[in-house]
Amino acid sequence: VNNLSILITARELRPGIFTIARQVSADEELLFKHANVDMRVGLAYLAASEAVEVLRNPLLPCFLDILMRADEHWAATLLARMAATIGDVSPDTWMIALTAASAPALREAAGGSPAVTVGMLLRDPRDRNRRLAALVLMVRRGGQTIALPDDGFALLPDDEILFCGDPEAQPRMHRVRRDGDVLAYLQTGVQRPRGWLWRTWAAAPPSNAAGGS
């Protein structure tokens, strides 16, 4: 009932506004019908959506548990970092597991030199000097969890990383999972030649200039 009261007031203040309300029980069916809500969300829908999100991103419940136990200063720091990195965009969450099946290029390089760091994964594969609108919420390493690791945190094989960010950042970040050339560019700033012909040409010794005897 309180939700509908707020909804009706909002509609009076701004006619034509798109309205969404949560219907808690079937007993409220008549009220919601007469309120002409544009979109009704039931508890079953919310539960199903949460279940799907957990299946898609199994690290999320672990991080939410950390968040629930955190103090106000830690939570405020997280919100400030999210606002500075993502802005007003509704963020997505996703994870990358440094396994041979999911991220072979990253797994092979992790633990080696140069190190694969959290900050490196947050660079734009198109221009490593630009930062993606994303941040690392947590790294899980075996039974250990590291919340909000800094950019210099070095990753190891089989680490699981939970990200939060602009939806456009996710597909760009995933390029580095399997592509060793993209990974090398992010690590060194050097773009390797692509394709057999260009690699062969780049590896060939420079020809001597024509000259006399």
Side-chain angles (χ1 to χ4, degrees), residues 17 21 37 70 126:
I17 190 173
V37 179
R126 302 173 304 177

Side-chain angles (χ1 to χ4, degrees), residues 54-144:
V54 169
L55 290 172
R56 187 174 65 88
N57 195 342
L59 289 184
L60 189 56
C62 181
F63 179 76
L64 292 178
D65 183 60
I66 294 174
L67 184 59
M68 291 294 292
R69 293 184 283 106
D71 58 31
E72 292 185 5
H73 175 73
W74 192 89
T77 300
L78 170 62
L79 290 176
R81 289 181 62 177
M82 290 180 64
T85 304
I86 306 168
D88 296 330
V89 176
S90 180
D92 274 357
T93 59
W94 64 93
M95 66 170 286
I96 294 179
L98 271 59
T99 63
S102 177
L106 286 173
R107 190 185 192 284
E108 182 178 356
S113 180
V116 177
T117 64
V118 163
M120 191 210 74
L121 293 183
L122 297 174
R123 294 174 180 169
D124 192 331
R126 302 173 304 177
D127 180 355
R128 70 190 296 266
N129 295 317
R130 296 176 56 187
R131 191 179 180 93
L132 295 172
L135 59 94
V136 174
L137 297 177
M138 186 185 77
V139 174
R140 183 164 66 183
R141 177 174 295 168
Q144 181 186 12

